[in-house]
């Protein structure tokens, strides 16, 4: 009976999360045929790891032990109502804000090089998470952003968190009862507490690190700190080994050393972990050296970056947009102690709903207004079904 109860509970949670989130605006009796849907490509029915379908998890649970399966009288599974396109108005060709964070502090004293533009207090970060959640934003991983594999509820707006420089305010560990845990006075600690209240918000983000310096200063060693983050679902990205200014670099060998050495060290700390993304410190080198930022080799260690982020101040285009450039991805600066035009808070007040990526709730489909079809690169759909309305 305990196992049956667990199965029922899991199914209930899965379906609850399916309907939970950003102003769910679907009607039970609406049929998708009412909206003159045009199907461009067939859906990929195989679960290849990129397109996650909650029904697969339910089936796995059901097939685990057929001898103790509840019958139809024990569990009633209702079919999810069709998406009301006219009410939700999904647009998966819209822009996504890739947010850039640096320093997190309890209190702040202005310095010579930081007047507060790149620093946010822990309290302000807590308030920011509440604001983002209430406005319908949900976190996705940078990898899912690049793959356009967005798994958030319909009507929600995906957002990507990135963190540069591996500061202790972003994350550090403390010891409690002999166990290493995330310090609650850190961005990761705050996100963990927030997700206890709002598990659908997401524990996602990419930390761009320089492994030539002491990362996430606190308890534990570098390997333990990185593994803790990875186990939580965060991604680790390349930010050069020693945070050099690539704009002043004239040598391809130096660029390959800085990126390749960073990858070599992370292999030593977390065997098999390959970084796939890069954050430009200060800015990009000359055009003829940019190819070595994209990929290269150092002491037999190869690296390749599938996405390269800039400092920037704009939301990013959707990756299926014809104009999207994976080697020059815009980011929006996180709000600092001193507000700046084009920081995240500015964009939250000024971006139009018609500009943003609005999810249809299905990672296997791409739904857009029909007038935006010309902006889409159909080859980037990767066998996902395209819906226009």
């Amino acid at each position: 009976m305990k196992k049956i109860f667990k199965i029922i509970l899991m199914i209930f949670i899965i379906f609850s999360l399916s309907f939970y989130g950003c102003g769910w605006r679907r009607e039970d009796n609406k049929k998708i045929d009412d909206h003159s849907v045009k199907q461009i490509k067939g859906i990929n029915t195989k679960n290849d790891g990129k397109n996650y379908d909650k029904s697969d998890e339910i089936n796995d649970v059901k097939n685990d032990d057929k001898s103790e399966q509840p019958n139809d009288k024990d569990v009633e599974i209702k079919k999810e109502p069709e998406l009301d396109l006219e009410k939700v108005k999904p647009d998966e060709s819209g822009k996504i804000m890739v947010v850039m964070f640096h320093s997190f502090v309890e209190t702040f004293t202005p310095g010579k090089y930081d007047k507060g533009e790149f620093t946010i207090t822990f309290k302000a970060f807590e308030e920011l998470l509440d604001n983002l959640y209430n406005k319908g934003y949900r976190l996705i991983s940078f990898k899912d952003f690049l793959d356009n594999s967005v798994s958030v509820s319909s009507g929600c707006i995906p957002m990507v968190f990135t963190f540069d420089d591996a500061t202790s305010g972003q994350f550090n560990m403390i010891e409690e009862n002999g166990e290493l845990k995330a310090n609650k006075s850190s961005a990761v600690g705050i996100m963990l507490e927030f997700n206890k209240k709002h598990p659908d918000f997401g524990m996602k983000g990419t930390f761009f690190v320089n492994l030539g310096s002491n990362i996430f200063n606190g308890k534990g060693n570098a390997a333990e700190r990185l593994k803790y983050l990875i186990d939580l679902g965060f991604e680790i990205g390349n930010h050069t080994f020693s945070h050099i200014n690539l704009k002043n670099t004239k040598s391809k060998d130096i660029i390959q050393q800085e990126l390749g050495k960073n990858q070599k060290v992370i292999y030593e700390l977390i065997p098999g972990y390959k970084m796939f993304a890069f954050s430009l410190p200060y800015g990009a080198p000359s055009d003829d050296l940019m190819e070595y930022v994209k990929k290269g080799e150092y002491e037999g260690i190869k690296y390749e970056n599938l996405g390269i982020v800039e400092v920037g101040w704009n939301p990013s285009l959707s990756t299926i947009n014809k104009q999207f450039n994976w080697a020059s991805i815009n980011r929006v600066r996180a709000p600092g102690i001193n507000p700046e035009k084009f920081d995240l808070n500015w964009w939250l007040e000024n971006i139009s709903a018609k500009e943003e990526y609005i999810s249809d709730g299905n990672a296997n489909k791409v739904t857009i207004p029909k007038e935006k079809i010309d902006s889409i690169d159909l080859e980037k759909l990767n066998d996902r079904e395209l819906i226009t309305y």
Side-chain angles (χ1 to χ4, degrees):
M1 289 299 296
K2 288 184 179 180
K3 189 160 187 176
I4 293 175
F5 176 77
K6 288 181 180 179
I7 293 171
I8 295 173
L9 180 61
M10 181 174 290
I11 294 173
F12 174 78
I13 291 172
I14 290 171
F15 276 83
S16 296
L17 290 177
S18 296
F19 301 120
Y20 193 74
C22 313
W24 184 59
R25 293 169 287 183
R26 287 171 285 186
E27 297 175 8
D28 289 351
N29 298 320
K30 281 285 185 180
K31 291 186 177 181
I32 204 163
D33 293 336
D34 293 341
H35 305 292
S36 301
V37 174
K38 181 180 181 183
Q39 298 185 0
I40 307 295
K41 286 196 173 184
I43 189 169
N44 180 6
T45 58
K46 294 181 180 179
N47 184 1
D48 59 1
K50 295 181 180 178
N51 304 326
Y52 177 69
D53 188 341
K54 292 183 176 67
S55 63
D56 293 327
E57 184 173 337
I58 297 172
N59 291 332
D60 288 341
V61 174
K62 284 185 174 182
N63 295 327
D64 183 55
D65 188 347
K66 294 182 180 179
S67 63
E68 295 190 32
Q69 288 303 309
N71 58 37
D72 293 339
K73 295 180 180 179
D74 296 317
V75 181
E76 182 181 358
I77 300 177
K78 295 183 179 180
K79 184 179 179 181
E80 182 179 350
E82 297 286 5
L83 178 65
D84 190 325
L85 297 172
E86 296 300 333
K87 287 188 176 182
V88 176
K89 297 187 181 300
D91 181 3
E92 299 186 317
S93 68
K95 295 179 179 179
I96 294 178
M97 285 194 269
V98 180
V99 185
M100 176 188 68
F101 291 96
H102 278 89
S103 298
F104 295 78
V105 296
E106 191 72 49
T107 59
F108 179 72
T109 302
K112 182 178 179 180
Y113 299 106
D114 187 359
K115 306 300 181 184
E117 300 92 335
F118 297 98
T119 300
I120 184 171
T121 65
F122 297 129
K123 185 176 186 299
F125 184 57
E126 291 175 351
E127 293 170 351
L128 175 65
L129 295 183
D130 269 321
N131 190 27
L132 292 175
Y133 186 82
N134 292 332
K135 286 180 177 292
Y137 292 94
R138 299 294 183 267
L139 296 183
I140 63 172
S141 70
F142 190 63
K143 186 63 166 61
D144 284 345
F145 161 73
L146 291 176
D147 292 342
N148 193 43
S149 181
V150 177
S151 296
V152 298
S153 298
S154 62
C156 290
I157 311 164
M159 177 174 280
V160 179
F161 276 6
T162 65
F163 305 83
D164 285 10
D165 303 340
T167 62
S168 61
Q170 295 172 7
F171 167 67
N172 69 87
M173 293 198 294
I174 59 174
E175 188 173 337
E176 289 185 357
N177 301 319
E179 183 180 358
L180 292 174
K181 296 182 178 181
N183 190 343
K184 291 184 178 180
S185 293
S186 71
V188 170
I190 291 169
M191 290 175 69
L192 282 167
E193 292 301 308
F194 187 81
N195 273 269
K196 289 179 182 178
K197 298 182 294 183
H198 305 292
D200 60 319
F201 182 68
M203 278 294 295
K204 305 290 185 180
T206 302
F207 291 88
F208 291 102
V209 302
N210 316 100
L211 296 175
S213 58
N214 189 15
I215 59 169
F216 308 119
N217 191 28
K219 293 289 186 179
N221 56 41
E224 290 171 320
R225 298 166 191 170
L226 290 172
K227 186 177 185 304
Y228 191 95
L229 288 172
I230 292 169
D231 287 346
L232 283 177
F234 290 106
E235 299 162 332
I236 307 300
N238 205 327
H239 199 39
T240 73
F241 183 73
S242 59
H243 205 277
I244 67 167
N245 190 336
L246 296 181
K247 293 177 69 174
N248 298 332
T249 304
K250 308 299 181 183
S251 167
K252 67 177 183 179
D253 293 332
I254 292 177
I255 292 177
Q256 291 183 102
Q257 176 180 320
E258 283 289 324
L259 276 74
K261 192 172 184 178
N262 221 31
Q263 179 60 68
K264 181 179 180 180
V265 172
I266 203 167
Y267 276 152
E268 294 168 356
L269 297 172
I270 310 293
Y273 191 89
K274 186 174 183 179
M275 296 182 286
F276 66 89
F278 181 71
S279 171
L280 290 162
Y282 307 110
S286 59
D287 290 341
D288 59 335
L289 291 176
M290 190 64 187
E291 64 176 290
Y292 299 102
V293 175
K294 296 176 181 178
K295 63 180 179 180
E297 184 174 346
Y298 170 73
E299 293 187 350
I301 301 298
K302 294 182 179 180
Y303 62 87
E304 181 175 7
N305 294 305
L306 306 179
I308 299 173
V309 295
E310 300 177 332
V311 174
W313 52 81
N314 289 316
S316 172
L317 294 171
S318 167
T319 57
I320 60 172
N321 190 291
K322 291 177 179 177
Q323 303 302 316
F324 176 78
N325 181 1
W326 64 269
S328 181
I329 300 172
N330 288 339
R331 286 191 290 179
V332 171
R333 184 189 298 178
I337 291 168
N338 292 324
E340 291 278 333
K341 189 175 182 180
F342 303 120
D343 69 9
L344 177 56
N345 281 342
W346 186 91
W347 278 108
L348 291 176
E349 295 299 322
N350 288 279
I351 194 168
S352 165
K354 293 183 178 180
E355 293 181 75
E356 292 195 280
Y357 187 117
I358 307 297
S359 175
D360 65 5
N362 190 331
N364 290 319
K365 298 181 180 180
V366 175
T367 306
I368 64 172
K370 60 185 177 182
E371 63 269 19
K372 293 194 175 184
I373 186 65
D374 290 339
S375 69
I376 299 302
D377 184 345
L378 297 179
E379 293 184 358
K380 293 181 179 178
L381 295 178
N382 297 325
D383 295 325
R384 292 183 178 90
E385 182 182 10
L386 180 63
I387 305 291
T388 65
Y389 66 100

